[in-house]
Amino acid sequence: MDSFAAYAPALASVAIFAVVVMLFSPLSAIQKGKQGLAPGAEPAADYSDLAYRLHRVFENGTDTMSFFVATAGVAILAGASPFWINLLAGLTLASRLIMIFLHVAAVGNPHNGPRSFAYVGGWFCMLVMAILGLVALL
């Protein structure tokens, strides 16, 4: 474990993100249940509907989790700079938490609003982690 100690903040960021995403599964299910939707059903695409927004938070989180784990994991296993990987993983987590807040609070438009900027910020951080991981492998 000592070889991964330098990456503790990045690993914590991944774990925190996983827990946050997992928490939105029951939150989404409760809201969908209040609407009488069957388990696994998707609410109508209505951004004013809390059940829809919670469902999207959970779905977006599960969509992103694999990329976050893959990019951070490869960078860590390849021995990329702990400073940069910790920073980028922390920024990825922060961008996702901001995105979740904006989603739940229904801030901005469904398209091309502040949530989109938060998404792109996290996407960019993961891209850079992947590049740093690849460079460390070469």
Side-chain angles (χ1 to χ4, degrees), residues 8-31:
L11 293 168
S13 294
V14 172
I16 290 166
F17 182 62
V19 170
V20 169
V21 171
M22 290 185 323
L23 291 174
F24 276 92
S25 176
L27 292 175
S28 172
I30 289 167
Q31 286 299 316

Side-chain angles (χ1 to χ4, degrees), residues 1 4-14 76 82 86:
M1 184 61 201
F4 296 111
Y7 297 102
L11 293 168
S13 294
V14 172
I76 290 167
N86 290 331

